[in-house]
mmCIF file of all heavy atoms in Angstrom:
data_model
loop_
_atom_site.group_PDB
_atom_site.id
_atom_site.type_symbol
_atom_site.label_atom_id
_atom_site.label_comp_id
_atom_site.label_asym_id
_atom_site.label_seq_id
_atom_site.Cartn_x
_atom_site.Cartn_y
_atom_site.Cartn_z
ATOM 1 N N TYR A 313 -129.167 -52.297 -98.742
ATOM 2 C CA TYR A 313 -129.348 -53.316 -99.786
ATOM 3 C C TYR A 313 -130.074 -52.751 -101.006
ATOM 4 O O TYR A 313 -130.884 -53.445 -101.634
ATOM 5 C CB TYR A 313 -130.108 -54.521 -99.210
ATOM 6 C CG TYR A 313 -129.311 -55.300 -98.190
ATOM 7 C CD1 TYR A 313 -129.799 -55.495 -96.903
ATOM 8 C CD2 TYR A 313 -128.073 -55.838 -98.523
ATOM 9 C CE1 TYR A 313 -129.075 -56.218 -95.964
ATOM 10 C CE2 TYR A 313 -127.332 -56.556 -97.591
ATOM 11 C CZ TYR A 313 -127.831 -56.738 -96.316
ATOM 12 O OH TYR A 313 -127.092 -57.456 -95.394
ATOM 13 N N LEU A 314 -129.810 -51.533 -101.343
ATOM 14 C CA LEU A 314 -130.355 -50.992 -102.587
ATOM 15 C C LEU A 314 -129.842 -51.814 -103.773
ATOM 16 O O LEU A 314 -128.671 -52.199 -103.820
ATOM 17 C CB LEU A 314 -129.943 -49.524 -102.752
ATOM 18 C CG LEU A 314 -130.593 -48.520 -101.796
ATOM 19 C CD1 LEU A 314 -129.945 -47.152 -101.966
ATOM 20 C CD2 LEU A 314 -132.096 -48.434 -102.057
ATOM 21 N N ASP A 315 -130.750 -52.086 -104.722
ATOM 22 C CA ASP A 315 -130.409 -52.833 -105.936
ATOM 23 C C ASP A 315 -129.971 -54.264 -105.640
ATOM 24 O O ASP A 315 -129.263 -54.884 -106.438
ATOM 25 C CB ASP A 315 -129.301 -52.123 -106.736
ATOM 26 C CG ASP A 315 -129.686 -50.710 -107.133
ATOM 27 O OD1 ASP A 315 -130.861 -50.515 -107.518
ATOM 28 O OD2 ASP A 315 -128.837 -49.804 -107.031
ATOM 29 N N LYS A 316 -130.390 -54.810 -104.504
ATOM 30 C CA LYS A 316 -130.107 -56.200 -104.159
ATOM 31 C C LYS A 316 -131.418 -56.934 -103.902
ATOM 32 O O LYS A 316 -132.420 -56.347 -103.518
ATOM 33 C CB LYS A 316 -129.228 -56.275 -102.899
ATOM 34 C CG LYS A 316 -127.888 -55.558 -103.012
ATOM 35 C CD LYS A 316 -126.935 -56.290 -103.944
ATOM 36 C CE LYS A 316 -125.563 -55.602 -103.955
ATOM 37 N NZ LYS A 316 -124.618 -56.271 -104.882
ATOM 38 N N TRP A 317 -131.349 -58.260 -104.130
ATOM 39 C CA TRP A 317 -132.493 -59.109 -103.809
ATOM 40 C C TRP A 317 -132.243 -59.781 -102.462
ATOM 41 O O TRP A 317 -131.102 -60.050 -102.087
ATOM 42 C CB TRP A 317 -132.714 -60.177 -104.871
ATOM 43 C CG TRP A 317 -132.847 -59.660 -106.273
ATOM 44 C CD1 TRP A 317 -131.995 -59.891 -107.306
ATOM 45 C CD2 TRP A 317 -133.889 -58.846 -106.805
ATOM 46 N NE1 TRP A 317 -132.428 -59.260 -108.443
ATOM 47 C CE2 TRP A 317 -133.601 -58.606 -108.165
ATOM 48 C CE3 TRP A 317 -135.038 -58.274 -106.254
ATOM 49 C CZ2 TRP A 317 -134.414 -57.837 -108.976
ATOM 50 C CZ3 TRP A 317 -135.854 -57.504 -107.065
ATOM 51 C CH2 TRP A 317 -135.544 -57.291 -108.406
ATOM 52 N N SER A 318 -133.305 -60.087 -101.751
ATOM 53 C CA SER A 318 -133.153 -60.813 -100.492
ATOM 54 C C SER A 318 -132.919 -62.297 -100.782
ATOM 55 O O SER A 318 -133.238 -62.789 -101.882
ATOM 56 C CB SER A 318 -134.404 -60.663 -99.639
ATOM 57 O OG SER A 318 -135.433 -61.540 -100.088
ATOM 58 N N PRO A 319 -132.380 -63.045 -99.832
ATOM 59 C CA PRO A 319 -132.189 -64.490 -100.042
ATOM 60 C C PRO A 319 -133.491 -65.248 -100.288
ATOM 61 O O PRO A 319 -133.461 -66.367 -100.804
ATOM 62 C CB PRO A 319 -131.534 -64.942 -98.734
ATOM 63 C CG PRO A 319 -130.852 -63.723 -98.209
ATOM 64 C CD PRO A 319 -131.755 -62.588 -98.582
ATOM 65 N N ASP A 320 -134.637 -64.655 -99.932
ATOM 66 C CA ASP A 320 -135.938 -65.325 -100.102
ATOM 67 C C ASP A 320 -136.804 -64.616 -101.141
ATOM 68 O O ASP A 320 -138.028 -64.722 -101.105
ATOM 69 C CB ASP A 320 -136.682 -65.339 -98.767
ATOM 70 C CG ASP A 320 -136.018 -66.208 -97.722
ATOM 71 O OD1 ASP A 320 -136.300 -67.417 -97.679
ATOM 72 O OD2 ASP A 320 -135.179 -65.678 -96.953
ATOM 73 N N ASP A 321 -136.175 -63.938 -102.079
ATOM 74 C CA ASP A 321 -136.932 -63.106 -103.011
ATOM 75 C C ASP A 321 -137.950 -63.909 -103.824
ATOM 76 O O ASP A 321 -139.061 -63.428 -104.069
ATOM 77 C CB ASP A 321 -135.964 -62.390 -103.957
ATOM 78 C CG ASP A 321 -136.696 -61.474 -104.929
ATOM 79 O OD1 ASP A 321 -137.061 -60.359 -104.519
ATOM 80 O OD2 ASP A 321 -136.923 -61.894 -106.086
ATOM 81 N N GLU A 322 -137.588 -65.104 -104.255
ATOM 82 C CA GLU A 322 -138.490 -65.896 -105.099
ATOM 83 C C GLU A 322 -139.808 -66.171 -104.386
ATOM 84 O O GLU A 322 -140.890 -65.959 -104.947
ATOM 85 C CB GLU A 322 -137.823 -67.207 -105.502
ATOM 86 C CG GLU A 322 -138.687 -68.131 -106.360
ATOM 87 C CD GLU A 322 -139.046 -67.542 -107.713
ATOM 88 O OE1 GLU A 322 -138.245 -66.751 -108.255
ATOM 89 O OE2 GLU A 322 -140.136 -67.864 -108.235
ATOM 90 N N ALA A 323 -139.731 -66.635 -103.149
ATOM 91 C CA ALA A 323 -140.954 -66.930 -102.407
ATOM 92 C C ALA A 323 -141.735 -65.657 -102.109
ATOM 93 O O ALA A 323 -142.974 -65.635 -102.205
ATOM 94 C CB ALA A 323 -140.609 -67.653 -101.113
ATOM 95 N N GLN A 324 -141.038 -64.596 -101.746
ATOM 96 C CA GLN A 324 -141.725 -63.341 -101.446
ATOM 97 C C GLN A 324 -142.484 -62.812 -102.666
ATOM 98 O O GLN A 324 -143.631 -62.351 -102.541
ATOM 99 C CB GLN A 324 -140.711 -62.300 -100.961
ATOM 100 C CG GLN A 324 -140.165 -62.595 -99.581
ATOM 101 C CD GLN A 324 -139.083 -61.617 -99.181
ATOM 102 O OE1 GLN A 324 -138.218 -61.259 -99.975
ATOM 103 N NE2 GLN A 324 -139.104 -61.169 -97.935
ATOM 104 N N ALA A 325 -141.865 -62.896 -103.830
ATOM 105 C CA ALA A 325 -142.522 -62.422 -105.050
ATOM 106 C C ALA A 325 -143.764 -63.260 -105.364
ATOM 107 O O ALA A 325 -144.812 -62.722 -105.750
ATOM 108 C CB ALA A 325 -141.539 -62.451 -106.214
ATOM 109 N N GLN A 326 -143.664 -64.584 -105.191
ATOM 110 C CA GLN A 326 -144.814 -65.448 -105.469
ATOM 111 C C GLN A 326 -145.966 -65.186 -104.508
ATOM 112 O O GLN A 326 -147.132 -65.118 -104.909
ATOM 113 C CB GLN A 326 -144.389 -66.915 -105.399
ATOM 114 C CG GLN A 326 -143.503 -67.378 -106.534
ATOM 115 C CD GLN A 326 -143.277 -68.880 -106.510
ATOM 116 O OE1 GLN A 326 -144.122 -69.651 -106.062
ATOM 117 N NE2 GLN A 326 -142.123 -69.316 -107.005
ATOM 118 N N ILE A 327 -145.645 -65.042 -103.233
ATOM 119 C CA ILE A 327 -146.695 -64.805 -102.244
ATOM 120 C C ILE A 327 -147.352 -63.441 -102.466
ATOM 121 O O ILE A 327 -148.591 -63.314 -102.426
ATOM 122 C CB ILE A 327 -146.118 -64.909 -100.823
ATOM 123 C CG1 ILE A 327 -145.728 -66.354 -100.522
ATOM 124 C CG2 ILE A 327 -147.120 -64.413 -99.785
ATOM 125 C CD1 ILE A 327 -145.009 -66.531 -99.196
ATOM 126 N N ALA A 328 -146.560 -62.402 -102.708
ATOM 127 C CA ALA A 328 -147.128 -61.072 -102.946
ATOM 128 C C ALA A 328 -148.047 -61.071 -104.162
ATOM 129 O O ALA A 328 -149.118 -60.443 -104.145
ATOM 130 C CB ALA A 328 -146.006 -60.052 -103.122
ATOM 131 N N SER A 329 -147.663 -61.788 -105.213
ATOM 132 C CA SER A 329 -148.508 -61.859 -106.409
ATOM 133 C C SER A 329 -149.824 -62.560 -106.107
ATOM 134 O O SER A 329 -150.888 -62.148 -106.603
ATOM 135 C CB SER A 329 -147.763 -62.591 -107.535
ATOM 136 O OG SER A 329 -146.641 -61.846 -107.961
ATOM 137 N N ALA A 330 -149.771 -63.607 -105.280
ATOM 138 C CA ALA A 330 -151.006 -64.295 -104.897
ATOM 139 C C ALA A 330 -151.907 -63.376 -104.079
ATOM 140 O O ALA A 330 -153.131 -63.346 -104.275
ATOM 141 C CB ALA A 330 -150.670 -65.560 -104.107
ATOM 142 N N TYR A 331 -151.317 -62.622 -103.145
ATOM 143 C CA TYR A 331 -152.106 -61.640 -102.390
ATOM 144 C C TYR A 331 -152.817 -60.677 -103.347
ATOM 145 O O TYR A 331 -154.006 -60.377 -103.189
ATOM 146 C CB TYR A 331 -151.195 -60.821 -101.477
ATOM 147 C CG TYR A 331 -150.641 -61.519 -100.256
ATOM 148 C CD1 TYR A 331 -149.613 -60.938 -99.517
ATOM 149 C CD2 TYR A 331 -151.143 -62.737 -99.809
ATOM 150 C CE1 TYR A 331 -149.098 -61.542 -98.380
ATOM 151 C CE2 TYR A 331 -150.630 -63.370 -98.685
ATOM 152 C CZ TYR A 331 -149.606 -62.761 -97.973
ATOM 153 O OH TYR A 331 -149.084 -63.354 -96.849
ATOM 154 N N SER A 332 -152.078 -60.174 -104.302
ATOM 155 C CA SER A 332 -152.639 -59.193 -105.231
ATOM 156 C C SER A 332 -153.780 -59.791 -106.058
ATOM 157 O O SER A 332 -154.815 -59.151 -106.263
ATOM 158 C CB SER A 332 -151.540 -58.658 -106.147
ATOM 159 O OG SER A 332 -152.061 -57.759 -107.099
ATOM 160 N N ARG A 333 -153.581 -61.022 -106.533
ATOM 161 C CA ARG A 333 -154.617 -61.657 -107.361
ATOM 162 C C ARG A 333 -155.913 -61.815 -106.584
ATOM 163 O O ARG A 333 -157.003 -61.527 -107.106
ATOM 164 C CB ARG A 333 -154.132 -63.028 -107.860
ATOM 165 C CG ARG A 333 -153.170 -62.976 -109.006
ATOM 166 C CD ARG A 333 -153.003 -64.354 -109.635
ATOM 167 N NE ARG A 333 -152.432 -65.328 -108.701
ATOM 168 C CZ ARG A 333 -151.126 -65.538 -108.503
ATOM 169 N NH1 ARG A 333 -150.249 -64.799 -109.179
ATOM 170 N NH2 ARG A 333 -150.688 -66.444 -107.662
ATOM 171 N N TRP A 334 -155.820 -62.305 -105.351
ATOM 172 C CA TRP A 334 -157.060 -62.548 -104.608
ATOM 173 C C TRP A 334 -157.628 -61.253 -104.047
ATOM 174 O O TRP A 334 -158.823 -61.154 -103.796
ATOM 175 C CB TRP A 334 -156.843 -63.571 -103.491
ATOM 176 C CG TRP A 334 -158.122 -64.260 -103.116
ATOM 177 C CD1 TRP A 334 -159.158 -64.561 -103.951
ATOM 178 C CD2 TRP A 334 -158.511 -64.710 -101.815
ATOM 179 N NE1 TRP A 334 -160.168 -65.188 -103.258
ATOM 180 C CE2 TRP A 334 -159.799 -65.292 -101.943
ATOM 181 C CE3 TRP A 334 -157.901 -64.689 -100.568
ATOM 182 C CZ2 TRP A 334 -160.482 -65.846 -100.858
ATOM 183 C CZ3 TRP A 334 -158.581 -65.247 -99.495
ATOM 184 C CH2 TRP A 334 -159.847 -65.817 -99.635
#
Side-chain angles (χ1 to χ4, degrees):
Y313 292 123
L314 290 173
D315 302 319
K316 301 289 184 181
W317 306 115
S318 79
D320 293 273
D321 182 80
E322 179 64 30
Q324 289 175 318
Q326 289 188 30
I327 291 174
S329 294
Y331 287 168
S332 177
R333 282 193 297 272
W334 204 33

